[in-house]
Coordinates of all heavy atoms in Angstrom, one line a residue:
D1 N -8.9 -102.7 12.5 CA -9.6 -102.6 13.8 C -9.0 -101.6 14.7 O -9.5 -101.3 15.8 CB -9.5 -104.0 14.5 CG -8.1 -104.6 14.6 OD1 -7.2 -103.8 14.7 OD2 -8.0 -105.8 14.5
R2 N -7.9 -100.9 14.3 CA -7.3 -99.9 15.1 C -6.5 -98.9 14.3 O -5.9 -99.3 13.3 CB -6.4 -100.6 16.2 CG -5.7 -99.6 17.1 CD -5.2 -100.4 18.4 NE -4.5 -101.6 18.0 CZ -3.1 -101.7 18.2 NH1 -2.4 -100.7 18.6 NH2 -2.5 -102.8 17.9
V3 N -6.5 -97.6 14.7 CA -5.7 -96.6 14.0 C -5.1 -95.8 15.1 O -5.7 -95.4 16.1 CB -6.6 -95.7 13.2 CG1 -5.8 -94.5 12.6 CG2 -7.3 -96.5 12.0
E4 N -3.8 -95.5 15.0 CA -3.1 -94.7 15.9 C -2.4 -93.5 15.2 O -1.8 -93.7 14.1 CB -2.0 -95.5 16.7 CG -2.5 -96.6 17.6 CD -1.4 -97.3 18.3 OE1 -0.2 -97.1 18.0 OE2 -1.7 -98.2 19.1
I5 N -2.6 -92.3 15.7 CA -2.0 -91.1 15.0 C -1.3 -90.3 16.1 O -1.8 -90.0 17.1 CB -3.1 -90.3 14.3 CG1 -3.8 -91.1 13.3 CG2 -2.5 -89.0 13.7 CD1 -5.0 -90.3 12.6
E6 N 0.0 -89.9 15.8 CA 0.8 -89.0 16.6 C 0.8 -87.7 15.9 O 1.0 -87.6 14.7 CB 2.2 -89.6 16.8 CG 2.2 -90.8 17.6 CD 3.7 -91.4 17.7 OE1 4.6 -90.8 17.1 OE2 3.9 -92.4 18.4
F7 N 0.6 -86.6 16.7 CA 0.5 -85.3 16.1 C 1.1 -84.2 17.0 O 1.1 -84.4 18.3 CB -0.9 -84.9 15.8 CG -1.8 -84.8 17.0 CD1 -2.1 -83.5 17.6 CD2 -2.4 -85.9 17.6 CE1 -2.9 -83.4 18.7 CE2 -3.2 -85.8 18.7 CZ -3.5 -84.5 19.2
E8 N 1.7 -83.2 16.4 CA 2.2 -82.0 17.2 C 1.0 -81.4 17.9 O -0.1 -81.3 17.4 CB 2.8 -81.0 16.2 CG 3.1 -79.7 16.8 CD 4.3 -79.7 17.7 OE1 5.2 -80.6 17.5 OE2 4.4 -78.9 18.7
P9 N 1.1 -81.1 19.2 CA 0.0 -80.6 20.0 C -0.9 -79.5 19.4 O -2.1 -79.5 19.6 CB 0.7 -80.1 21.3 CG 1.9 -81.0 21.4 CD 2.4 -81.2 20.0
E10 N -0.2 -78.6 18.6 CA -1.0 -77.5 18.0 C -1.8 -77.9 16.7 O -2.5 -77.2 16.2 CB -0.1 -76.3 17.7 CG 0.5 -75.7 18.9 CD 1.4 -74.5 18.5 OE1 1.5 -74.2 17.3 OE2 2.0 -73.9 19.4
Y11 N -1.6 -79.2 16.3 CA -2.1 -79.6 15.1 C -3.1 -80.8 15.2 O -3.2 -81.7 14.4 CB -1.0 -80.1 14.1 CG -0.2 -78.9 13.6 CD1 0.9 -78.4 14.3 CD2 -0.6 -78.3 12.4 CE1 1.6 -77.3 13.8 CE2 0.1 -77.2 11.9 CZ 1.2 -76.7 12.6 OH 1.9 -75.7 12.1
R12 N -3.9 -80.7 16.3 CA -4.9 -81.7 16.5 C -5.9 -81.8 15.3 O -6.3 -82.9 14.9 CB -5.7 -81.5 17.8 CG -6.7 -82.5 18.1 CD -7.5 -82.3 19.4 NE -8.4 -83.3 19.7 CZ -9.7 -83.4 19.2 NH1 -10.1 -82.4 18.4 NH2 -10.5 -84.3 19.6
S13 N -6.3 -80.6 14.8 CA -7.3 -80.6 13.7 C -6.8 -81.3 12.5 O -7.5 -81.9 11.7 CB -7.7 -79.1 13.4 OG -6.6 -78.4 12.9
T14 N -5.4 -81.2 12.3 CA -4.8 -81.9 11.1 C -5.0 -83.4 11.3 O -5.3 -84.1 10.3 CB -3.3 -81.6 11.0 OG1 -3.2 -80.1 11.2 CG2 -2.8 -82.0 9.7
A15 N -4.7 -83.9 12.5 CA -4.9 -85.3 12.8 C -6.3 -85.8 12.6 O -6.6 -86.8 12.1 CB -4.4 -85.7 14.2
V16 N -7.3 -84.9 13.1 CA -8.7 -85.3 13.0 C -9.1 -85.3 11.5 O -9.9 -86.2 11.1 CB -9.5 -84.3 13.8 CG1 -11.0 -84.5 13.5 CG2 -9.2 -84.4 15.3
L17 N -8.6 -84.4 10.7 CA -8.9 -84.5 9.2 C -8.4 -85.8 8.6 O -9.0 -86.3 7.7 CB -8.3 -83.3 8.5 CG -9.0 -82.0 8.6 CD1 -8.2 -80.9 8.0 CD2 -10.4 -82.1 8.1
L18 N -7.2 -86.3 9.1 CA -6.7 -87.6 8.6 C -7.7 -88.7 9.0 O -8.0 -89.6 8.2 CB -5.4 -87.9 9.2 CG -4.6 -89.1 8.7 CD1 -4.5 -89.1 7.2 CD2 -3.3 -89.3 9.3
V19 N -8.3 -88.7 10.2 CA -9.3 -89.6 10.6 C -10.5 -89.4 9.7 O -11.2 -90.4 9.2 CB -9.7 -89.5 12.0 CG1 -10.8 -90.4 12.4 CG2 -8.5 -89.7 13.0
G20 N -10.9 -88.2 9.4 CA -12.0 -87.9 8.5 C -11.8 -88.5 7.1 O -12.8 -89.0 6.5
W21 N -10.6 -88.4 6.6 CA -10.3 -89.0 5.3 C -10.5 -90.5 5.3 O -11.2 -91.1 4.4 CB -8.8 -88.7 4.9 CG -8.4 -89.4 3.6 CD1 -8.8 -89.2 2.4 CD2 -7.4 -90.5 3.6 NE1 -8.2 -90.0 1.5 CE2 -7.3 -90.8 2.2 CE3 -6.6 -91.1 4.5 CZ2 -6.4 -91.8 1.8 CZ3 -5.7 -92.1 4.1 CH2 -5.7 -92.5 2.7
L22 N -10.0 -91.2 6.3 CA -10.2 -92.7 6.5 C -11.7 -93.0 6.6 O -12.2 -93.9 5.9 CB -9.4 -93.2 7.7 CG -7.9 -93.2 7.6 CD1 -7.3 -93.5 9.0 CD2 -7.4 -94.3 6.6
S23 N -12.4 -92.2 7.4 CA -13.8 -92.4 7.6 C -14.6 -92.2 6.3 O -15.5 -93.0 5.9 CB -14.3 -91.5 8.7 OG -13.7 -91.7 9.9
A24 N -14.3 -91.2 5.6 CA -15.0 -90.9 4.3 C -14.8 -91.9 3.3 O -15.7 -92.3 2.5 CB -14.6 -89.5 3.8
Q25 N -13.5 -92.4 3.2 CA -13.2 -93.4 2.1 C -13.6 -94.8 2.5 O -13.9 -95.6 1.6 CB -11.7 -93.4 1.9 CG -11.1 -92.1 1.4 CD -11.7 -91.7 0.1 OE1 -12.8 -91.0 0.0 NE2 -11.1 -92.1 -1.0
L26 N -13.7 -95.1 3.8 CA -14.0 -96.5 4.2 C -15.4 -96.6 4.7 O -15.8 -97.7 5.1 CB -13.0 -97.0 5.2 CG -11.6 -97.0 4.8 CD1 -10.6 -97.4 5.9 CD2 -11.4 -97.9 3.6
G27 N -16.2 -95.5 4.8 CA -17.6 -95.6 5.3 C -17.7 -95.8 6.7 O -18.7 -96.3 7.2
W28 N -16.7 -95.3 7.5 CA -16.8 -95.4 9.0 C -17.8 -94.4 9.5 O -17.9 -93.3 9.0 CB -15.5 -95.2 9.6 CG -14.5 -96.2 9.4 CD1 -14.7 -97.4 8.7 CD2 -13.1 -96.2 9.6 NE1 -13.5 -98.1 8.6 CE2 -12.5 -97.4 9.2 CE3 -12.3 -95.2 10.2 CZ2 -11.1 -97.6 9.3 CZ3 -10.9 -95.5 10.4 CH2 -10.4 -96.7 9.9
M29 N -18.5 -94.7 10.6 CA -19.4 -93.8 11.2 C -18.9 -93.4 12.6 O -18.3 -94.2 13.3 CB -20.8 -94.5 11.5 CG -21.5 -94.9 10.2 SD -21.9 -93.5 9.1 CE -23.1 -92.7 10.1
P30 N -19.0 -92.1 13.0 CA -18.4 -91.6 14.2 C -19.1 -92.1 15.5 O -20.3 -92.4 15.5 CB -18.5 -90.1 14.1 CG -19.7 -89.9 13.2 CD -19.7 -91.0 12.3

């Protein structure tokens, strides 16, 4: 029901890709 990700300020796209992986594997919709 919740995901928290901490990331280096210059690496926001890396954190978003991690969300993308979870979404793709678990069928989440944005």
